[in-house]
Amino acid sequence: MNGPRVLITNDDGIDSPGIQLLASELAKHFRVVVAAPARDMSGSGTGIGRFDPVAGVDLHEVELDSGVEAYSIDGPPGLAVMSASLGAFGDPPDLVVSGVNAGINTGHSIIHSGTVGAALTARTFKGRGLAVSLAQSDPWHWDTAVTVAVDAASWLLADRPEPRVLNVNVPALPLDQVKGIHWADLDEFGYFRVANAQIESRKLQLEVGSSNDRADPASDTALCHGGYVTLTPLSTVEPAPFPPIEASEIWAH
């Protein structure tokens, strides 16, 4: 198949149903290769992990039901994206699609998300990145998220200058019940709300939950919980404006 080359990765691991279904559908439209962590690497952000440049990183070819070319990597999704961008699996990808993540990634806490981190890593290599996450439900509405992902991927690959990275959150609804699609601001934080250090039991406990009761109605958290697909353009690391002082004022020597 000719056309754009798409790398698919995630932070839930290559056995996740989200990545399996996504690969099957995207392969109908693009040249696809899957490279994803061998195990759950949630919370890895843009990290590439620690590896020995001489020994390398364990890599295994994986057989997917869809027949898509696929590999598991003993490392986080950021490493998979970096490797692909440097030519490990052939031509560098035109687009990195990360997901479908089991659970939404909203608010400024997305900096800790391996799903979003993979999309941002693509940008550091001058590529485009798409992170797709699905709100939790029983049963999971994977089909809704996959449909949204295909449309978003096609849109990002069109000849347009911006955005280069898009974070997408999909509500826990069948496709015909989704209320619409919205550009959305990042929530103040996101899903990790309370930390409690239990010194005696040597445990750090984190409460994971939505801050939707306090969220700005225009935020990604509130809109996604309200039944909308949310789109948030993201930028990778960029220098901030210099303060209006001489740098020498900071150095006391």
Side-chain angles (χ1 to χ4, degrees), residues 39-72:
R39 62 187 186 283
D40 190 332
M41 297 289 289
S42 297
S44 53
T46 57
I48 59 172
R50 182 177 177 83
F51 61 91
D52 185 331
V54 177
V57 176
D58 285 345
L59 173 75
H60 298 281
E61 191 167 4
V62 176
E63 187 173 330
L64 301 183
D65 291 341
S66 59
V68 172
E69 179 184 0
Y71 305 91
S72 67

PDB file of all heavy atoms in Angstrom, residues 39-72:
ATOM      1  N   ARG A  39       5.072  -4.628  27.980  1.00  0.00           N
ATOM      2  CA  ARG A  39       4.211  -4.676  29.163  1.00  0.00           C
ATOM      3  C   ARG A  39       3.676  -3.278  29.437  1.00  0.00           C
ATOM      4  O   ARG A  39       4.060  -2.318  28.775  1.00  0.00           O
ATOM      5  CB  ARG A  39       5.012  -5.181  30.368  1.00  0.00           C
ATOM      6  CG  ARG A  39       6.176  -4.282  30.744  1.00  0.00           C
ATOM      7  CD  ARG A  39       7.045  -4.885  31.821  1.00  0.00           C
ATOM      8  NE  ARG A  39       8.091  -3.972  32.282  1.00  0.00           N
ATOM      9  CZ  ARG A  39       9.209  -3.714  31.631  1.00  0.00           C
ATOM     10  NH1 ARG A  39       9.447  -4.301  30.464  1.00  0.00           N
ATOM     11  NH2 ARG A  39      10.111  -2.873  32.129  1.00  0.00           N
ATOM     12  N   ASP A  40       2.815  -3.176  30.417  1.00  0.00           N
ATOM     13  CA  ASP A  40       2.220  -1.891  30.774  1.00  0.00           C
ATOM     14  C   ASP A  40       3.310  -0.911  31.222  1.00  0.00           C
ATOM     15  O   ASP A  40       4.074  -1.192  32.149  1.00  0.00           O
ATOM     16  CB  ASP A  40       1.208  -2.104  31.906  1.00  0.00           C
ATOM     17  CG  ASP A  40       0.362  -0.867  32.189  1.00  0.00           C
ATOM     18  OD1 ASP A  40       0.841   0.257  31.942  1.00  0.00           O
ATOM     19  OD2 ASP A  40      -0.771  -1.035  32.654  1.00  0.00           O
ATOM     20  N   MET A  41       3.376   0.240  30.540  1.00  0.00           N
ATOM     21  CA  MET A  41       4.351   1.274  30.883  1.00  0.00           C
ATOM     22  C   MET A  41       3.639   2.602  31.154  1.00  0.00           C
ATOM     23  O   MET A  41       4.170   3.674  30.853  1.00  0.00           O
ATOM     24  CB  MET A  41       5.361   1.440  29.749  1.00  0.00           C
ATOM     25  CG  MET A  41       6.210   0.217  29.463  1.00  0.00           C
ATOM     26  SD  MET A  41       7.441  -0.131  30.751  1.00  0.00           S
ATOM     27  CE  MET A  41       8.591   1.192  30.492  1.00  0.00           C
ATOM     28  N   SER A  42       2.438   2.526  31.724  1.00  0.00           N
ATOM     29  CA  SER A  42       1.664   3.734  32.006  1.00  0.00           C
ATOM     30  C   SER A  42       2.453   4.660  32.927  1.00  0.00           C
ATOM     31  O   SER A  42       3.184   4.217  33.817  1.00  0.00           O
ATOM     32  CB  SER A  42       0.336   3.362  32.665  1.00  0.00           C
ATOM     33  OG  SER A  42      -0.445   2.587  31.798  1.00  0.00           O
ATOM     34  N   GLY A  43       2.292   5.955  32.704  1.00  0.00           N
ATOM     35  CA  GLY A  43       2.951   6.936  33.543  1.00  0.00           C
ATOM     36  C   GLY A  43       4.388   7.213  33.153  1.00  0.00           C
ATOM     37  O   GLY A  43       5.123   7.858  33.901  1.00  0.00           O
ATOM     38  N   SER A  44       4.816   6.766  31.975  1.00  0.00           N
ATOM     39  CA  SER A  44       6.216   6.921  31.577  1.00  0.00           C
ATOM     40  C   SER A  44       6.504   8.246  30.896  1.00  0.00           C
ATOM     41  O   SER A  44       7.660   8.551  30.598  1.00  0.00           O
ATOM     42  CB  SER A  44       6.630   5.766  30.653  1.00  0.00           C
ATOM     43  OG  SER A  44       5.742   5.638  29.565  1.00  0.00           O
ATOM     44  N   GLY A  45       5.465   9.045  30.627  1.00  0.00           N
ATOM     45  CA  GLY A  45       5.673  10.344  30.002  1.00  0.00           C
ATOM     46  C   GLY A  45       6.416  10.226  28.687  1.00  0.00           C
ATOM     47  O   GLY A  45       6.141   9.341  27.880  1.00  0.00           O
ATOM     48  N   THR A  46       7.397  11.116  28.462  1.00  0.00           N
ATOM     49  CA  THR A  46       8.206  11.062  27.243  1.00  0.00           C
ATOM     50  C   THR A  46       9.477  10.245  27.437  1.00  0.00           C
ATOM     51  O   THR A  46      10.352  10.258  26.575  1.00  0.00           O
ATOM     52  CB  THR A  46       8.593  12.476  26.788  1.00  0.00           C
ATOM     53  OG1 THR A  46       9.281  13.132  27.871  1.00  0.00           O
ATOM     54  CG2 THR A  46       7.365  13.299  26.409  1.00  0.00           C
ATOM     55  N   GLY A  47       9.577   9.539  28.559  1.00  0.00           N
ATOM     56  CA  GLY A  47      10.795   8.815  28.883  1.00  0.00           C
ATOM     57  C   GLY A  47      11.144   7.745  27.865  1.00  0.00           C
ATOM     58  O   GLY A  47      10.271   7.150  27.229  1.00  0.00           O
ATOM     59  N   ILE A  48      12.450   7.511  27.721  1.00  0.00           N
ATOM     60  CA  ILE A  48      12.910   6.435  26.841  1.00  0.00           C
ATOM     61  C   ILE A  48      13.522   5.292  27.644  1.00  0.00           C
ATOM     62  O   ILE A  48      13.950   4.293  27.079  1.00  0.00           O
ATOM     63  CB  ILE A  48      13.914   6.937  25.791  1.00  0.00           C
ATOM     64  CG1 ILE A  48      15.143   7.553  26.466  1.00  0.00           C
ATOM     65  CG2 ILE A  48      13.241   7.931  24.847  1.00  0.00           C
ATOM     66  CD1 ILE A  48      16.263   7.908  25.487  1.00  0.00           C
ATOM     67  N   GLY A  49      13.547   5.439  28.980  1.00  0.00           N
ATOM     68  CA  GLY A  49      14.052   4.380  29.829  1.00  0.00           C
ATOM     69  C   GLY A  49      15.571   4.294  29.811  1.00  0.00           C
ATOM     70  O   GLY A  49      16.259   5.008  29.079  1.00  0.00           O
ATOM     71  N   ARG A  50      16.081   3.415  30.612  1.00  0.00           N
ATOM     72  CA  ARG A  50      17.528   3.189  30.686  1.00  0.00           C
ATOM     73  C   ARG A  50      17.878   1.984  29.820  1.00  0.00           C
ATOM     74  O   ARG A  50      17.249   0.933  29.920  1.00  0.00           O
ATOM     75  CB  ARG A  50      17.953   2.931  32.134  1.00  0.00           C
ATOM     76  CG  ARG A  50      19.442   2.722  32.312  1.00  0.00           C
ATOM     77  CD  ARG A  50      19.811   2.553  33.770  1.00  0.00           C
ATOM     78  NE  ARG A  50      21.233   2.273  33.945  1.00  0.00           N
ATOM     79  CZ  ARG A  50      22.188   3.189  33.976  1.00  0.00           C
ATOM     80  NH1 ARG A  50      21.864   4.466  33.833  1.00  0.00           N
ATOM     81  NH2 ARG A  50      23.455   2.855  34.135  1.00  0.00           N
ATOM     82  N   PHE A  51      18.870   2.150  28.950  1.00  0.00           N
ATOM     83  CA  PHE A  51      19.263   1.023  28.114  1.00  0.00           C
ATOM     84  C   PHE A  51      20.761   1.067  27.860  1.00  0.00           C
ATOM     85  O   PHE A  51      21.403   2.114  27.935  1.00  0.00           O
ATOM     86  CB  PHE A  51      18.496   1.016  26.790  1.00  0.00           C
ATOM     87  CG  PHE A  51      18.726   2.231  25.928  1.00  0.00           C
ATOM     88  CD1 PHE A  51      19.736   2.253  24.977  1.00  0.00           C
ATOM     89  CD2 PHE A  51      17.929   3.355  26.066  1.00  0.00           C
ATOM     90  CE1 PHE A  51      19.955   3.370  24.197  1.00  0.00           C
ATOM     91  CE2 PHE A  51      18.134   4.472  25.280  1.00  0.00           C
ATOM     92  CZ  PHE A  51      19.155   4.484  24.337  1.00  0.00           C
ATOM     93  N   ASP A  52      21.301  -0.089  27.552  1.00  0.00           N
ATOM     94  CA  ASP A  52      22.722  -0.240  27.261  1.00  0.00           C
ATOM     95  C   ASP A  52      22.914  -0.079  25.756  1.00  0.00           C
ATOM     96  O   ASP A  52      22.413  -0.902  24.976  1.00  0.00           O
ATOM     97  CB  ASP A  52      23.196  -1.623  27.720  1.00  0.00           C
ATOM     98  CG  ASP A  52      24.692  -1.821  27.571  1.00  0.00           C
ATOM     99  OD1 ASP A  52      25.288  -1.204  26.665  1.00  0.00           O
ATOM    100  OD2 ASP A  52      25.263  -2.603  28.344  1.00  0.00           O
ATOM    101  N   PRO A  53      23.642   0.952  25.303  1.00  0.00           N
ATOM    102  CA  PRO A  53      23.801   1.153  23.860  1.00  0.00           C
ATOM    103  C   PRO A  53      24.568   0.026  23.182  1.00  0.00           C
ATOM    104  O   PRO A  53      24.480  -0.131  21.960  1.00  0.00           O
ATOM    105  CB  PRO A  53      24.574   2.477  23.775  1.00  0.00           C
ATOM    106  CG  PRO A  53      25.227   2.646  25.097  1.00  0.00           C
ATOM    107  CD  PRO A  53      24.321   1.998  26.090  1.00  0.00           C
ATOM    108  N   VAL A  54      25.318  -0.769  23.951  1.00  0.00           N
ATOM    109  CA  VAL A  54      26.038  -1.900  23.368  1.00  0.00           C
ATOM    110  C   VAL A  54      25.134  -3.136  23.316  1.00  0.00           C
ATOM    111  O   VAL A  54      25.013  -3.797  22.281  1.00  0.00           O
ATOM    112  CB  VAL A  54      27.313  -2.207  24.180  1.00  0.00           C
ATOM    113  CG1 VAL A  54      28.010  -3.442  23.612  1.00  0.00           C
ATOM    114  CG2 VAL A  54      28.255  -1.011  24.156  1.00  0.00           C
ATOM    115  N   ALA A  55      24.496  -3.447  24.438  1.00  0.00           N
ATOM    116  CA  ALA A  55      23.629  -4.634  24.491  1.00  0.00           C
ATOM    117  C   ALA A  55      22.325  -4.419  23.729  1.00  0.00           C
ATOM    118  O   ALA A  55      21.706  -5.372  23.258  1.00  0.00           O
ATOM    119  CB  ALA A  55      23.330  -4.996  25.946  1.00  0.00           C
ATOM    120  N   GLY A  56      21.901  -3.161  23.608  1.00  0.00           N
ATOM    121  CA  GLY A  56      20.650  -2.883  22.918  1.00  0.00           C
ATOM    122  C   GLY A  56      19.430  -3.127  23.791  1.00  0.00           C
ATOM    123  O   GLY A  56      19.536  -3.297  25.008  1.00  0.00           O
ATOM    124  N   VAL A  57      18.280  -3.181  23.164  1.00  0.00           N
ATOM    125  CA  VAL A  57      16.997  -3.358  23.844  1.00  0.00           C
ATOM    126  C   VAL A  57      16.294  -4.576  23.247  1.00  0.00           C
ATOM    127  O   VAL A  57      16.291  -4.749  22.015  1.00  0.00           O
ATOM    128  CB  VAL A  57      16.110  -2.101  23.669  1.00  0.00           C
ATOM    129  CG1 VAL A  57      14.739  -2.309  24.296  1.00  0.00           C
ATOM    130  CG2 VAL A  57      16.796  -0.874  24.265  1.00  0.00           C
ATOM    131  N   ASP A  58      15.721  -5.398  24.096  1.00  0.00           N
ATOM    132  CA  ASP A  58      15.017  -6.590  23.602  1.00  0.00           C
ATOM    133  C   ASP A  58      13.866  -6.188  22.682  1.00  0.00           C
ATOM    134  O   ASP A  58      13.059  -5.314  23.010  1.00  0.00           O
ATOM    135  CB  ASP A  58      14.465  -7.408  24.767  1.00  0.00           C
ATOM    136  CG  ASP A  58      15.561  -8.184  25.489  1.00  0.00           C
ATOM    137  OD1 ASP A  58      16.672  -8.306  24.927  1.00  0.00           O
ATOM    138  OD2 ASP A  58      15.307  -8.660  26.609  1.00  0.00           O
ATOM    139  N   LEU A  59      13.815  -6.848  21.537  1.00  0.00           N
ATOM    140  CA  LEU A  59      12.800  -6.587  20.515  1.00  0.00           C
ATOM    141  C   LEU A  59      12.281  -7.914  20.005  1.00  0.00           C
ATOM    142  O   LEU A  59      13.061  -8.830  19.714  1.00  0.00           O
ATOM    143  CB  LEU A  59      13.419  -5.784  19.364  1.00  0.00           C
ATOM    144  CG  LEU A  59      12.558  -5.551  18.124  1.00  0.00           C
ATOM    145  CD1 LEU A  59      11.498  -4.494  18.414  1.00  0.00           C
ATOM    146  CD2 LEU A  59      13.420  -5.094  16.947  1.00  0.00           C
ATOM    147  N   HIS A  60      10.963  -8.061  19.937  1.00  0.00           N
ATOM    148  CA  HIS A  60      10.371  -9.303  19.460  1.00  0.00           C
ATOM    149  C   HIS A  60       9.282  -9.005  18.441  1.00  0.00           C
ATOM    150  O   HIS A  60       8.462  -8.084  18.636  1.00  0.00           O
ATOM    151  CB  HIS A  60       9.768 -10.099  20.626  1.00  0.00           C
ATOM    152  CG  HIS A  60      10.774 -10.517  21.645  1.00  0.00           C
ATOM    153  ND1 HIS A  60      11.621 -11.595  21.474  1.00  0.00           N
ATOM    154  CD2 HIS A  60      11.093  -9.987  22.859  1.00  0.00           C
ATOM    155  CE1 HIS A  60      12.411 -11.715  22.527  1.00  0.00           C
ATOM    156  NE2 HIS A  60      12.113 -10.754  23.390  1.00  0.00           N
ATOM    157  N   GLU A  61       9.289  -9.764  17.371  1.00  0.00           N
ATOM    158  CA  GLU A  61       8.205  -9.645  16.402  1.00  0.00           C
ATOM    159  C   GLU A  61       6.959 -10.289  16.985  1.00  0.00           C
ATOM    160  O   GLU A  61       7.018 -11.345  17.618  1.00  0.00           O
ATOM    161  CB  GLU A  61       8.587 -10.322  15.088  1.00  0.00           C
ATOM    162  CG  GLU A  61       7.631 -10.010  13.952  1.00  0.00           C
ATOM    163  CD  GLU A  61       8.176 -10.427  12.598  1.00  0.00           C
ATOM    164  OE1 GLU A  61       9.275 -11.025  12.550  1.00  0.00           O
ATOM    165  OE2 GLU A  61       7.499 -10.158  11.599  1.00  0.00           O
ATOM    166  N   VAL A  62       5.826  -9.630  16.804  1.00  0.00           N
ATOM    167  CA  VAL A  62       4.557 -10.072  17.380  1.00  0.00           C
ATOM    168  C   VAL A  62       3.552 -10.304  16.252  1.00  0.00           C
ATOM    169  O   VAL A  62       3.470  -9.517  15.308  1.00  0.00           O
ATOM    170  CB  VAL A  62       4.000  -9.010  18.362  1.00  0.00           C
ATOM    171  CG1 VAL A  62       2.634  -9.423  18.892  1.00  0.00           C
ATOM    172  CG2 VAL A  62       4.979  -8.793  19.514  1.00  0.00           C
ATOM    173  N   GLU A  63       2.806 -11.375  16.360  1.00  0.00           N
ATOM    174  CA  GLU A  63       1.792 -11.685  15.352  1.00  0.00           C
ATOM    175  C   GLU A  63       0.435 -11.175  15.834  1.00  0.00           C
ATOM    176  O   GLU A  63      -0.108 -11.660  16.828  1.00  0.00           O
ATOM    177  CB  GLU A  63       1.741 -13.193  15.101  1.00  0.00           C
ATOM    178  CG  GLU A  63       0.822 -13.583  13.950  1.00  0.00           C
ATOM    179  CD  GLU A  63       0.908 -15.064  13.612  1.00  0.00           C
ATOM    180  OE1 GLU A  63       1.989 -15.660  13.803  1.00  0.00           O
ATOM    181  OE2 GLU A  63      -0.115 -15.615  13.152  1.00  0.00           O
ATOM    182  N   LEU A  64      -0.096 -10.184  15.129  1.00  0.00           N
ATOM    183  CA  LEU A  64      -1.422  -9.655  15.441  1.00  0.00           C
ATOM    184  C   LEU A  64      -2.463 -10.311  14.557  1.00  0.00           C
ATOM    185  O   LEU A  64      -2.178 -10.742  13.431  1.00  0.00           O
ATOM    186  CB  LEU A  64      -1.449  -8.133  15.229  1.00  0.00           C
ATOM    187  CG  LEU A  64      -0.468  -7.286  16.052  1.00  0.00           C
ATOM    188  CD1 LEU A  64      -0.695  -5.808  15.775  1.00  0.00           C
ATOM    189  CD2 LEU A  64      -0.609  -7.581  17.537  1.00  0.00           C
ATOM    190  N   ASP A  65      -3.704 -10.352  15.045  1.00  0.00           N
ATOM    191  CA  ASP A  65      -4.794 -10.957  14.270  1.00  0.00           C
ATOM    192  C   ASP A  65      -4.987 -10.243  12.941  1.00  0.00           C
ATOM    193  O   ASP A  65      -5.381 -10.852  11.947  1.00  0.00           O
ATOM    194  CB  ASP A  65      -6.098 -10.903  15.073  1.00  0.00           C
ATOM    195  CG  ASP A  65      -6.073 -11.833  16.279  1.00  0.00           C
ATOM    196  OD1 ASP A  65      -5.233 -12.758  16.293  1.00  0.00           O
ATOM    197  OD2 ASP A  65      -6.879 -11.620  17.207  1.00  0.00           O
ATOM    198  N   SER A  66      -4.694  -8.934  12.915  1.00  0.00           N
ATOM    199  CA  SER A  66      -4.885  -8.140  11.700  1.00  0.00           C
ATOM    200  C   SER A  66      -3.796  -8.381  10.666  1.00  0.00           C
ATOM    201  O   SER A  66      -3.917  -7.958   9.515  1.00  0.00           O
ATOM    202  CB  SER A  66      -4.913  -6.657  12.054  1.00  0.00           C
ATOM    203  OG  SER A  66      -3.692  -6.272  12.681  1.00  0.00           O
ATOM    204  N   GLY A  67      -2.717  -9.039  11.070  1.00  0.00           N
ATOM    205  CA  GLY A  67      -1.610  -9.261  10.153  1.00  0.00           C
ATOM    206  C   GLY A  67      -0.684  -8.075   9.986  1.00  0.00           C
ATOM    207  O   GLY A  67       0.241  -8.110   9.164  1.00  0.00           O
ATOM    208  N   VAL A  68      -0.884  -7.031  10.763  1.00  0.00           N
ATOM    209  CA  VAL A  68      -0.050  -5.836  10.694  1.00  0.00           C
ATOM    210  C   VAL A  68       1.345  -6.145  11.227  1.00  0.00           C
ATOM    211  O   VAL A  68       1.499  -6.877  12.204  1.00  0.00           O
ATOM    212  CB  VAL A  68      -0.692  -4.693  11.512  1.00  0.00           C
ATOM    213  CG1 VAL A  68       0.251  -3.499  11.630  1.00  0.00           C
ATOM    214  CG2 VAL A  68      -2.005  -4.253  10.867  1.00  0.00           C
ATOM    215  N   GLU A  69       2.372  -5.578  10.586  1.00  0.00           N
ATOM    216  CA  GLU A  69       3.743  -5.714  11.069  1.00  0.00           C
ATOM    217  C   GLU A  69       3.831  -5.127  12.484  1.00  0.00           C
ATOM    218  O   GLU A  69       3.482  -3.974  12.700  1.00  0.00           O
ATOM    219  CB  GLU A  69       4.690  -4.965  10.134  1.00  0.00           C
ATOM    220  CG  GLU A  69       6.145  -5.004  10.546  1.00  0.00           C
ATOM    221  CD  GLU A  69       7.030  -4.163   9.638  1.00  0.00           C
ATOM    222  OE1 GLU A  69       6.497  -3.548   8.687  1.00  0.00           O
ATOM    223  OE2 GLU A  69       8.254  -4.106   9.879  1.00  0.00           O
ATOM    224  N   ALA A  70       4.304  -5.917  13.434  1.00  0.00           N
ATOM    225  CA  ALA A  70       4.256  -5.466  14.822  1.00  0.00           C
ATOM    226  C   ALA A  70       5.441  -5.997  15.620  1.00  0.00           C
ATOM    227  O   ALA A  70       5.921  -7.116  15.397  1.00  0.00           O
ATOM    228  CB  ALA A  70       2.954  -5.928  15.484  1.00  0.00           C
ATOM    229  N   TYR A  71       5.893  -5.164  16.584  1.00  0.00           N
ATOM    230  CA  TYR A  71       7.030  -5.496  17.431  1.00  0.00           C
ATOM    231  C   TYR A  71       6.742  -5.076  18.865  1.00  0.00           C
ATOM    232  O   TYR A  71       6.129  -4.031  19.108  1.00  0.00           O
ATOM    233  CB  TYR A  71       8.300  -4.790  16.947  1.00  0.00           C
ATOM    234  CG  TYR A  71       8.624  -5.051  15.501  1.00  0.00           C
ATOM    235  CD1 TYR A  71       8.143  -4.206  14.500  1.00  0.00           C
ATOM    236  CD2 TYR A  71       9.387  -6.156  15.128  1.00  0.00           C
ATOM    237  CE1 TYR A  71       8.415  -4.450  13.172  1.00  0.00           C
ATOM    238  CE2 TYR A  71       9.678  -6.413  13.798  1.00  0.00           C
ATOM    239  CZ  TYR A  71       9.189  -5.550  12.816  1.00  0.00           C
ATOM    240  OH  TYR A  71       9.457  -5.807  11.488  1.00  0.00           O
ATOM    241  N   SER A  72       7.215  -5.886  19.803  1.00  0.00           N
ATOM    242  CA  SER A  72       7.191  -5.481  21.205  1.00  0.00           C
ATOM    243  C   SER A  72       8.603  -5.056  21.600  1.00  0.00           C
ATOM    244  O   SER A  72       9.596  -5.655  21.161  1.00  0.00           O
ATOM    245  CB  SER A  72       6.712  -6.622  22.104  1.00  0.00           C
ATOM    246  OG  SER A  72       7.652  -7.679  22.126  1.00  0.00           O
TER     247      SER A  72
END
